[in-house]
Amino acid sequence: MTTFVTGFSVDLLQLSRYCLVMQQFPIPSVIRRFSKQFIEAGFSLYIVGGAVRDYLLGIQNEDYDFTTDAKPEEVMHLFKAVIPTGIDHGTVTVRFEKHSFEVTTFRSEGSYQDGRHPSSVTFISNLAEDLKRRDFTINAFAVDLHDSRIIDLNGGKEDLKHRTIRAIGDARKRFEEDGLRILRACRFAGKLNFRIDEDTLKAMHDCRANLRNVSSERIRDELFTLVLSDHPKVGLTYMRECGILEIILPELAAGDQIDQKGMHHEDVLSHAISTCQASVALTDRLEVRLAALLHDIGKSEVMEEGPERNTFYNHDLVGEKLTIELMKRLKASNEQIRLVSLLVRHHMFSYQSNWSDSAVRRFLTRVGKEHVGMLFSLRIADQIAIHGKADISLLEELEQRIKCILDAQDALSIKDLAVNGNDLMQVGIPKGRQLGKTLEYLLDTVLDDPKQNTKEQLLKIAKHYQSLSNLTS
């Protein structure tokens, strides 16, 4: 929190503007033209949700959602291009002047028998009732597009002033309606660095089992957004406190209360959360932040207690396996799974100045030159979480050595070799497993000595290797 010579911090200055903020929302001209279509047809139109909240917080947000008393079919009559994206629940997407605007009719909802979807939806003409069905007070603002007035019927401004996330009405009912709201509360806490109201947090704990009814895709999206927030530690700590970490990420939760001793001052889970937070200052890459959170999840399975410190041999290998399983369960993309598991697998690399150039080249081959920067960020975040700061002198030295190798264009993969499979087959090496083994042997050779990477020399080495293979087979 930055303090200026006036003695006021950024947060205090921001809080003071709540008392002064005008009740007029700045409406872009395209939205004024959009709303005119509704008003001239006798309907009302409101901006709702996050855009209004973020305006009051001084945060840039041009992602507008709308609510109206017009029925979906009436909205479709007003515009030429309308997509019925969620028409059963009153939502359509209007294409207007090259923009896509999502518009939802005022509605009330029946019971949520499956903890995910309302049993029925009733279109209504009452804005107040529509706002009451929303999740949190800070998300229940509306802007009347007829006069730009900000409407707060649920105490949202007061909760913004006190930096509080509070469920609207009966918190248990809100979370019974949709279990994902429990995770959303944690996500908003991480985004805004807000506290969660005690009654709301208790209801989150009591209703946590409802998250089991939520699809992996919805959980993934909220979790990844939380990890990419400015304050993931806040949201993750609330996930831990209300018990949903065990439901969503049981492999991570298993590190709770596992003491590491030695140089560590936190248990395995707390350290993971701290490393994720430390990564915020280093990168906005989702994969690195996820790897920071998951890098030690193998420790709970391999821990061996010792008198001065506990040991966790091969936790990187076990962690790679667990990360792949976890990311698949969240239905992450194949590329996300590959990158995060790779970073977890290699986070324990231990460079020393006495590494040979061959060792540096082999490191690059294992990790991939395109991933080194991400791995360094993970290592630095890990050190900051342990020591409060990072000694990057060895990383800087390794970075310089890598630069020299890349500048020299040394071969680091089979595709960098001066020969390919066709070349080898032409000198009598059979297609199939033997061909692959020969290429791997040639790569191993040039990693030791880059000067060997000429076509003539590699073909000579390949024929010799083939002869030896025939003698031993």
Side-chain angles (χ1 to χ4, degrees):
M1 187 163 63
T2 305
T3 302
F4 299 98
V5 290
T6 59
F8 288 103
S9 69
V10 171
D11 286 342
L12 290 177
L13 286 171
Q14 199 169 48
L15 286 175
S16 68
R17 83 183 284 277
Y18 298 148
C19 300
L20 303 172
V21 67
M22 295 176 61
Q23 300 304 300
Q24 300 289 315
F25 184 88
I27 301 174
S29 57
V30 64
I31 291 180
R32 287 195 180 279
R33 292 191 295 274
F34 179 61
S35 65
K36 185 179 180 182
Q37 306 285 325
F38 287 84
I39 295 169
E40 289 183 348
F43 300 113
S44 57
L45 184 69
Y46 301 85
I47 295 174
V48 289
V52 191
R53 176 200 66 228
D54 288 352
Y55 165 71
L56 292 172
L57 289 171
I59 299 172
Q60 185 73 20
N61 185 345
E62 296 180 359
D63 183 15
Y64 300 104
D65 291 321
F66 301 87
T67 188
T68 180
D69 55 357
K71 303 291 192 300
E73 60 271 16
E74 292 171 325
V75 177
M76 297 177 80
H77 281 303
L78 290 177
F79 300 93
K80 293 180 180 179
V82 182
I83 306 167
T85 44
I87 196 164
D88 290 343
H89 294 89
T91 301
V92 296
T93 300
V94 180
R95 289 290 298 163
F96 182 81
E97 296 184 8
K98 298 182 180 180
H99 295 271
S100 293
F101 295 137
E102 189 173 276
V103 181
T104 302
T105 303
F106 298 161
R107 72 191 195 201
S108 62
E109 298 170 341
S111 61
Y112 283 68
Q113 296 175 354
D114 61 359
R116 292 178 295 173
H117 308 111
S119 57
S120 63
V121 170
T122 303
F123 298 138
I124 58 178
S125 58
N126 188 313
L127 174 67
E129 288 298 314
D130 182 80
L131 294 178
K132 276 168 52 176
R133 70 174 177 80
R134 299 175 185 272
D135 50 10
F136 308 110
T137 61
I138 61 171
N139 293 336
F141 297 107
V143 172
D144 189 335
L145 289 174
H146 179 71
D147 57 15
S148 307
R149 179 172 48 94
I150 295 176
I151 299 168
D152 175 21
L153 304 178
N154 294 283
K157 286 183 182 177
E158 190 67 17
D159 283 334
L160 284 182
K161 180 178 178 181
H162 294 100
R163 305 176 65 82
T164 299
I165 295 168
R166 185 192 316 275
I168 295 175
D170 184 341
R172 287 182 64 97
K173 185 176 180 181
R174 297 289 83 78
F175 300 131
E176 286 169 355
E177 289 170 347
D178 186 354
L180 189 68
R181 287 172 171 170
I182 301 171
L183 181 54
R184 279 171 59 81
C186 300
R187 193 254 290 177
F188 283 120
K191 174 183 177 177
L192 303 172
N193 195 19
F194 276 21
R195 61 176 283 271
I196 298 177
D197 162 71
E198 288 185 12
D199 290 339
T200 300
L201 186 61
K202 183 179 184 305
M204 290 163 61
H205 179 273
D206 293 345
C207 299
R208 64 190 184 280
N210 288 344
L211 261 170
R212 299 188 189 279
N213 299 322
V214 179
S215 71
S216 297
E217 292 87 350
R218 295 179 74 206
I219 289 174
R220 175 202 62 212
D221 291 347
E222 290 290 336
L223 178 65
F224 286 8
T225 303
L226 167 56
V227 169
L228 283 172
S229 71
D230 288 340
H231 307 279
K233 185 172 184 176
V234 174
L236 290 164
T237 300
Y238 274 124
M239 288 177 65
R240 180 185 196 174
E241 188 174 342
C242 72
I244 65 171
L245 207 57
E246 300 169 6
I247 295 173
I248 297 172
L249 302 172
E251 302 90 343
L252 180 65
D256 197 1
Q257 312 269 333
I258 292 184
D259 192 7
Q260 304 188 77
K261 303 180 184 178
M263 61 184 177
H264 284 273
H265 62 280
E266 295 179 303
D267 66 28
V268 172
L269 175 55
S270 298
H271 169 69
I273 293 173
S274 294
T275 305
C276 184
Q277 182 61 52
S279 73
V280 171
L282 302 168
T283 180
D284 58 3
R285 282 292 299 260
L286 172 65
E287 294 85 359
V288 180
R289 294 201 190 182
L290 285 170
L293 182 63
L294 303 175
H295 73 286
D296 279 346
I297 61 172
K299 284 187 171 181
S300 60
E301 292 204 1
V302 301
M303 185 190 78
E304 293 184 9
E305 292 191 27
E308 295 183 359
R309 60 187 291 269
N310 296 330
T311 57
F312 304 92
Y313 296 119
N314 293 324
H315 78 271
D316 47 353
L317 300 178
V318 175
E320 176 188 27
K321 174 177 173 290
L322 292 175
T323 297
I324 292 171
E325 293 172 356
L326 179 155
M327 294 285 284
K328 284 183 175 179
R329 188 175 67 245
L330 290 174
K331 294 186 172 18
S333 72
N334 290 336
E335 182 65 4
Q336 289 170 335
I337 295 170
R338 184 186 72 83
L339 281 177
V340 177
S341 62
L342 180 144
L343 293 172
V344 171
R345 165 67 180 86
H346 293 289
H347 81 274
M348 290 292 291
F349 79 93
S350 182
Y351 170 76
Q352 298 297 324
S353 296
N354 62 3
W355 274 23
S356 65
D357 287 346
S358 173
V360 176
R361 285 190 287 270
R362 291 177 189 282
F363 169 76
L364 284 172
T365 299
R366 289 194 305 273
V367 173
K369 61 185 179 182
E370 68 274 24
H371 305 135
V372 169
M374 291 188 286
L375 189 61
F376 281 13
S377 293
L378 174 57
R379 168 58 62 85
I380 294 169
D382 196 6
Q383 288 190 15
I384 292 172
I386 297 172
H387 304 293
K389 60 182 180 179
D391 180 356
I392 62 172
S393 55
L394 282 176
L395 291 181
E396 289 177 332
E397 180 182 304
L398 176 56
E399 182 179 39
Q400 185 57 41
R401 294 185 66 182
I402 288 172
K403 183 179 184 301
C404 291
I405 287 171
L406 295 179
D407 287 346
Q409 297 184 333
D410 291 350
L412 299 172
S413 66
I414 287 174
K415 66 179 174 54
D416 297 329
L417 295 175
V419 296
N420 57 35
N422 289 330
D423 297 324
L424 297 185
M425 285 189 288
Q426 287 178 8
V427 296
I429 297 174
K431 186 177 182 180
R433 183 181 178 187
Q434 185 60 34
L435 184 66
K437 288 178 64 176
T438 303
L439 287 168
E440 290 174 1
Y441 179 79
L442 294 178
L443 175 61
D444 199 51
T445 299
V446 299
L447 287 173
D448 280 333
D449 182 5
K451 293 179 181 179
Q452 300 296 315
N453 193 26
T454 67
K455 185 173 183 177
E456 180 182 4
Q457 186 63 14
L458 291 182
L459 289 177
K460 181 179 177 181
I461 294 169
K463 286 187 283 188
H464 180 67
Y465 178 71
Q466 175 70 3
S467 299
L468 291 177
S469 297
N470 291 336
L471 288 174
T472 58
S473 62

